[in-house]
Amino acid sequence: MRLISFVGRNGQSGYGAQINDQQVAHLSAILGHRYTDLKALLASGLEEAQAALNLAPVLSTHEIHLLPVIPNPNKIICVGLNYETHRVETGRPKEAHPSIFTRFASSQIAAGDPIIRPRVSTALDYEGELALIIGRPGRYIKAADAFSHIAGYACYNDASIRDWQRHSHQFTPGKNFVGTGPFGPWMVTRDEVSDIESQTLTTRLNGEIMQQARIADMIFSIGEIIEYVSSFAPLETGDVIATGTPGGVGFKREPAVYMKPGDTVEVEITQVGVLRNPIADELV
């Protein structure tokens, strides 16, 4: 299934399954009295969602506005410098453990929403990433068991305000500006992807390929990331892990390439989907 969160024309939030480019199965119309949001539905194990697919009313995509796949995750964990090409272009040393930082849920936006270039900076950069959405909670999860805790996958753009990111050794300020965390357009359930590590991640800016790598090129694998993160923080249903970006980021190009109003950025992962967002300036 391709699961989404959305707001309808009546202003009420809901969730559903993308049937095709024009239609959505409105799962929350049937299951919403039991599972108030997509995070709660994931905790159910999705068997009821599968059974409800053919019973749910069908909405046109024109009747809804997408939300970030999980609008209300308890945690968004981000892995930095997790592709060798990106580590090399930044000049960072090899590390024995993943570089971890966090993003706030309030910084997230949906597919189609504009990424906001804040008035305090013009150094808005792209970072195409694979996001893992946790289904089954756990602590001290072994790498070999990691995939059984993953509900599905989505595209993520960990867009960064580079000058604010470099104010100190901590990444947090540059990674949490409002309107800089595109997440979507949907979550593909794990059973729909034959082998996530064999898929290709591509970031395009105005149609030009800027980043491209196989998921298998990550320095720390999906299993290693989940084992490491779950050791210091119990993973909960709906938690999101952004697994890192490949080389080719804008601030390391010569000359530097930053996103500006009028641009369109796309993050595509084969068998997962395409996350597309325009760029706009912050309204003063």
Side-chain angles (χ1 to χ4, degrees):
M1 288 183 288
R2 296 185 296 176
L3 298 172
I4 61 172
S5 296
F6 62 84
V7 173
R9 285 181 174 172
N10 59 4
Q12 292 186 332
S13 59
Y15 53 85
Q18 193 89 19
I19 299 171
N20 53 44
D21 289 343
Q22 289 80 38
Q23 295 178 310
V24 170
H26 189 184
L27 296 177
S28 53
I30 294 179
L31 301 174
H33 65 292
R34 297 186 60 192
Y35 309 113
T36 56
D37 54 28
L38 185 52
K39 185 168 69 173
L41 184 69
L42 294 182
S44 75
L46 296 180
E47 289 83 1
E48 289 179 82
Q50 190 69 51
L53 270 179
N54 295 327
L55 303 173
V58 175
L59 297 174
S60 164
T61 53
H62 299 295
E63 298 179 77
I64 64 172
H65 182 87
L66 289 174
L67 295 172
V69 178
I70 306 294
N72 57 339
N74 291 331
K75 293 186 287 296
I76 304 170
I77 302 292
C78 302
V79 184
L81 306 164
N82 198 31
Y83 286 79
E84 183 68 6
T85 51
H86 185 44
R87 184 195 69 79
V88 169
E89 73 181 355
T90 61
R92 296 295 186 96
K94 292 184 177 181
E95 302 287 356
H97 305 290
S99 173
I100 300 293
F101 59 95
T102 59
R103 180 179 273 276
F104 307 145
S106 58
S107 71
Q108 294 193 138
I109 57 173
D113 288 343
I115 300 174
I116 302 301
R117 186 175 70 170
R119 61 186 183 184
V120 296
S121 177
T122 58
L124 174 62
D125 206 349
Y126 51 82
E127 287 197 15
E129 308 200 8
L130 167 71
L132 315 174
I133 298 93
I134 299 300
R136 186 160 65 94
R139 181 84 191 276
Y140 296 117
I141 300 166
K142 296 297 184 185
D145 301 324
F147 283 90
S148 67
H149 291 264
I150 297 172
Y153 311 105
C155 300
Y156 211 98
N157 191 339
D158 188 29
S160 307
I161 310 302
R162 292 298 187 192
D163 47 353
W164 281 70
Q165 182 184 343
R166 295 193 295 268
H167 282 178
S168 74
H169 294 295
Q170 303 301 320
F171 291 171
T172 301
K175 297 288 189 175
N176 281 287
F177 275 78
V178 172
T180 60
F183 179 23
W186 49 65
M187 179 195 95
V188 176
T189 52
R190 185 164 51 90
D191 61 298
E192 294 284 335
V193 181
S194 57
D195 176 8
I196 189 62
E197 292 180 321
S198 70
Q199 305 309 314
T200 299
L201 184 157
T202 304
T203 305
R204 289 181 289 267
L205 184 61
N206 300 324
E208 180 181 352
I209 292 177
M210 310 301 281
Q211 298 177 289
Q212 192 163 68
R214 295 183 311 138
I215 302 301
D217 292 341
M218 291 193 299
I219 296 171
F220 298 98
S221 69
I222 290 171
E224 290 170 321
I225 292 167
I226 287 181
E227 180 171 325
Y228 185 80
V229 172
S230 69
S231 296
F232 70 82
L235 289 176
E236 302 166 282
T237 301
D239 283 352
V240 178
I241 301 177
T243 55
T245 200
V249 294
F251 87 107
K252 285 299 179 181
R253 291 176 175 268
E254 294 184 4
V257 175
Y258 291 120
M259 298 187 292
K260 60 187 184 303
D263 288 348
T264 298
V265 62
E266 298 173 311
V267 177
E268 179 175 6
I269 301 174
T270 51
Q271 293 194 19
V272 175
V274 180
L275 171 64
R276 183 178 296 109
N277 297 87
I279 313 301
D281 266 335
E282 180 180 14
L283 296 176
V284 179

